[in-house]
Amino acid sequence: MSDITAAPRSEFTLRGVILGILITVVFTAAQVYLGLKVGLTFATSIPAAVISMALLRFFRTSTIQENNIVQTIASAAGTLSSVIFVLPGLLMIGWWSDIPFLATFGICAVGGILGVMYTIPLRRALVTNSPLPYPEGVAAAEVLKVGSGSREGAAEGKAGLWAVIAGTLASAAFAALGAAKIFAAEVAAFVKVGKGATGIGASSSLALMGAGHLMGITVGIAMFTGLFIAWAVLVPILTGVFPAEAGASVADHALTVWATKVRFLGAGVIGAAAIWTLGKLVVPIWRGLVSAFEAGKARRSGGGDLPRVEQDIPLFVVGLVSVALLAPAGWLLAAFALGGPAGALALPLTIAAVAYLVFAGLLAAAVCGYMAGLIGSSNSPVSGIAILTVLGASLLVGAIGRGLIGPDAAKALVAFALYVTATVLAVAVVANDNLQDLKTGQLVDATPWKQQSALVIGVLSGATVIPFVLDLLAKSNGFVGAPNLNVVPGAEPLAAPQATLISTLAKGVIGHNLQWDLLGVGALIGLGLVLVDIVLRRASKDRFSLPPLGVGLAIYLPSAVTAPVVVGAVAGWIFERVVSKDRKAEVAKRLGVLIASGFIVGESLFNVALALLIVSTNKGAPLAIANPPPEHLGMIIAIIVAAVVVAGLYGWCRIQARKMEEA
């Protein structure tokens, strides 16, 4: 048993910080692309830990705590990039024509650091003295322990690094063949159903399959259920009720009804499911906060020196930093308001926004911190936090600006509400991550204040990258629903589904034209799914569930995005069932997770590089060959190659695990 009062040989080192920053930069770029394409991001702690262990093993003085600092810095990439769920909305409503660096960096940095500060007082209550399981934090700690503890661990760390590299290269090559038009980017089929129509589409994407693997079979089944409800029930019924326009094809009819009707029903499902999920946490969160204050009182009355593993950033520093950050937050918000028709109301808007940031940010930090402990940061319903935040911000901004008149007055108010929402979301997602990281640190005898400082470095690193990548993608591809005035002709716009939802809600609240009827029906569907989930959990004693948030996302997201995710979830489940009887089953499963992470990183980074090529050449498809195969043939080729690649890499994972058993 290690002496937890003594400092490890090395923990917060220059090489660890540099490595953490480099991983953060790469993973943040990948996360921004993935989030804009599918509206989802993935946790980066475990792949970052594996990469760190494999590289730092070349240094004799490296320790498990140093590797923990690296994964803590890099974990910011998997969380802070969630601000892209809001910011593209400013282009969609025509407020921004490009992504300004300072305005974007500022809210990411201010919101992210506040997220760290707000959760520091909660560490003892929600981490040290809490029964919360912290599934991802515990998993990351296990990976660090295995990789740092033995020769076998070193072998797994090396294999893990190769798994990430193999998945990355395979996915990048697959995406390159798609960009060359050798593979069809998407296949879709639409048919008439009575008086209506329906169909299904699927993207050829290893990244989406990797996302499905990481989400797991439970979420995969939920998303399949959402696909079925959307395209086998709602679209056929509503296309029968709302006839097609003259000359519209079956595909046009089905897609139009989905985009204008079904998607709003999906938004209602997401809202109801998110509110239910958050409502269940009210009592536990309150108890956690009370416990935190009691722990603080006991600590102050007890006196004495704290052990190293209990040393946080001092509370007076936390308070000082939190208050000091309100000044740049106010400056950013005021500058944003002064840049348009709402300039006359800049002072009341700024005061209200800063107060909202303090109140909503603290609440979001507590809620997200608790949810990270309960279900993991990747599974936390951040969409629900964003929906509630934008509704609150829109109501607040709309009330202050109700007397504002002029052609762009409503647009200015919507834009300000979105900017406030993005700032609060940055607080929420980093708070979501901080307590998860601190749980990992607790399990590997890390020093809390060093981890908290490391996450601030990760926040600043991610905040620096996000504006550049987001602006690049806005100029190369643009976003569905945005004017896209400066986009290269012929490039495929990114869906940015979460930003579409958030901006639609803001416009609807401030413009008093939100489709409450569709949202209400969707909310009723969501409540029905909540009841199904409750019954299923009780009947199976929590062995089975149907997360209603996953169902809602599948109704809201395009089928081209959802279908490959479902396939990836099923493929990952089959792989884990096949290896479950092996002696090294857990090793094989961990390698499978790293392969899936590599799939996401490879395709995402390739498409960021492709965006740079699109902008520099001013060609929408610069890699396309002159005579590509027919689309149906391209899709058949893509399916066959994807199946071979996935099966081959899963097989490699099993072989590597068995080699460790023999050794």
Side-chain angles (χ1 to χ4, degrees):
M1 188 74 179
S2 63
D3 181 1
I4 62 175
T5 63
R9 287 170 297 164
S10 58
E11 184 171 6
F12 200 99
T13 63
L14 179 61
R15 68 190 178 210
V17 169
I18 292 173
L19 179 57
I21 290 173
L22 291 175
I23 296 173
T24 301
V25 168
V26 172
F27 279 16
T28 298
Q31 293 277 33
V32 169
Y33 175 80
L34 184 73
L36 292 172
K37 182 175 182 180
V38 305
L40 303 166
T41 56
F42 70 103
T44 52
S45 291
I46 290 177
V50 170
I51 294 170
S52 172
M53 288 186 296
L55 296 179
L56 291 183
R57 275 191 173 275
F58 292 105
F59 299 92
R60 290 185 177 181
T61 56
S62 68
T63 64
I64 188 172
Q65 290 85 9
E66 184 180 17
N67 286 310
N68 180 55
I69 289 293
V70 175
Q71 74 83 17
T72 298
I73 295 173
S75 68
T79 53
L80 191 60
S81 53
S82 295
V83 297
I84 54 95
F85 292 166
V86 180
L87 291 178
L90 292 165
L91 281 81
M92 292 174 179
I93 65 172
W95 187 254
W96 281 351
S97 58
D98 55 18
I99 304 294
F101 175 81
L102 183 59
T104 305
F105 169 83
I107 61 166
C108 291
V110 169
I113 296 173
L114 280 175
V116 177
M117 296 299 126
Y118 283 175
T119 46
I120 288 173
L122 301 177
R123 184 186 66 82
R124 285 181 178 83
L126 296 185
V127 177
T128 306
N129 303 319
S130 170
L132 292 172
Y134 286 95
E136 291 176 6
V138 172
E142 286 303 310
V143 169
L144 287 170
K145 289 177 181 178
V146 168
S148 303
S150 63
R151 186 175 66 180
E152 183 179 313
E156 183 179 337
K158 184 178 179 181
L161 178 61
W162 280 112
V164 174
I165 293 172
T168 299
L169 294 176
S171 183
F174 195 88
L177 291 170
K181 306 298 183 184
I182 295 172
F183 293 168
E186 181 181 330
V187 65
F190 294 89
V191 295
K192 287 190 68 65
V193 181
K195 294 181 179 180
T198 191
I200 193 73
S203 297
S204 54
S205 167
L206 289 182
L208 293 178
M209 291 187 66
H213 181 125
L214 296 180
M215 289 177 194
I217 191 63
T218 299
V219 176
I221 292 172
M223 296 193 99
F224 175 79
T225 304
L227 266 180
F228 182 86
I229 291 172
W231 293 96
V233 179
L234 296 175
V235 171
I237 291 173
L238 292 175
T239 49
V241 174
F242 298 96
E245 295 182 4
S249 66
V250 173
D252 289 339
H253 188 200
L255 290 171
T256 299
V257 167
W258 171 79
T260 59
K261 307 292 180 186
V262 175
R263 209 167 193 191
F264 280 93
L265 294 171
V269 174
I270 292 172
I275 291 170
W276 166 256
T277 303
L278 297 176
K280 289 192 299 182
L281 299 176
V282 169
V283 173
I285 288 170
W286 175 253
R287 289 174 179 166
L289 290 172
V290 170
S291 175
F293 285 118
E294 290 176 349
K297 288 180 181 178
R299 190 168 63 255
R300 286 191 294 271
S301 62
D305 294 331
L306 287 172
R308 176 184 59 81
V309 294
E310 287 296 326
Q311 295 172 5
D312 294 296
I313 293 176
L315 281 181
F316 81 91
V317 175
V318 171
L320 187 64
V321 171
S322 300
V323 172
L325 284 173
L326 297 181
W331 181 82
L332 288 164
L333 291 162
F336 190 93
L338 287 167
L345 297 173
L347 182 60
L349 283 173
T350 301
I351 292 172
V354 170
Y356 186 72
L357 173 61
V358 173
F359 172 75
L362 281 168
L363 183 61
V367 170
C368 283
Y370 190 90
M371 289 192 301
L374 192 64
I375 57 178
S377 56
S378 295
N379 295 319
S380 297
V382 173
S383 296
I385 296 291
I387 289 170
L388 294 177
T389 301
V390 75
L391 289 175
S394 300
L395 289 169
L396 181 65
V397 170
I400 294 172
R402 63 184 180 277
L404 198 65
I405 57 174
D408 292 325
K411 184 190 293 186
L413 296 175
V414 170
F416 191 78
L418 291 176
Y419 198 63
V420 173
T421 300
T423 312
V424 175
L425 187 62
V427 176
V429 295
V430 172
N432 199 29
D433 178 54
N434 189 28
L435 292 181
Q436 194 79 256
D437 285 335
L438 290 171
K439 182 63 180 182
T440 302
Q442 180 203 14
L443 296 174
V444 299
D445 290 346
T447 310
W449 74 262
K450 292 181 179 180
Q451 267 196 282
Q452 292 151 4
S453 303
L455 189 55
V456 170
I457 294 173
V459 165
L460 293 174
S461 304
T464 304
V465 175
I466 288 170
F468 290 114
V469 179
L470 188 54
D471 188 52
L472 174 64
L473 294 172
K475 289 176 178 175
S476 64
N477 297 77
F479 308 114
V480 173
N484 295 332
L485 300 177
N486 302 316
V487 173
V488 176
E492 186 71 26
L494 292 164
Q498 298 277 23
T500 302
L501 171 60
I502 298 300
S503 59
T504 300
L505 291 173
K507 286 189 293 185
V509 171
I510 291 174
H512 305 290
N513 58 358
L514 198 61
Q515 297 190 53
W516 290 107
D517 54 344
L518 291 175
L519 290 173
V521 173
L524 291 175
I525 295 173
L527 291 176
L529 291 167
V530 166
L531 292 175
V532 171
D533 184 46
I534 291 172
V535 171
L536 192 58
R537 287 176 184 272
R538 288 182 178 176
S540 65
K541 296 182 179 178
D542 282 332
R543 288 181 58 228
F544 302 110
S545 62
L546 187 71
L549 201 57
V551 180
L553 281 171
I555 296 173
Y556 180 80
L557 293 172
S559 65
V561 167
T562 309
V565 172
V566 173
V567 172
V570 173
W573 176 75
I574 292 173
F575 165 70
E576 292 190 352
R577 293 278 291 181
V578 168
V579 303
S580 61
K581 295 181 180 178
D582 294 353
R583 287 186 59 188
K584 293 293 181 180
E586 294 306 312
V587 173
K589 290 177 182 179
R590 286 195 289 268
L591 292 176
V593 166
L594 295 171
I595 288 286
S597 300
F599 282 165
I600 295 172
V601 172
E603 181 177 320
S604 300
L605 290 183
F606 171 82
N607 280 289
V608 171
L610 180 61
L612 186 61
L613 187 61
I614 289 171
V615 171
S616 60
T617 62
N618 201 38
K619 293 181 180 178
L623 298 180
I625 61 176
N627 297 300
E631 188 174 18
H632 67 278
L633 180 59
M635 196 62 199
I636 293 172
I637 296 172
I639 291 171
I640 293 172
V641 172
V644 170
V645 168
V646 172
L649 288 176
Y650 279 161
W652 177 86
C653 292
R654 193 179 191 188
I655 291 170
Q656 294 303 309
R658 285 178 170 175
K659 284 183 179 178
M660 293 176 207
E661 178 183 344
E662 293 167 0

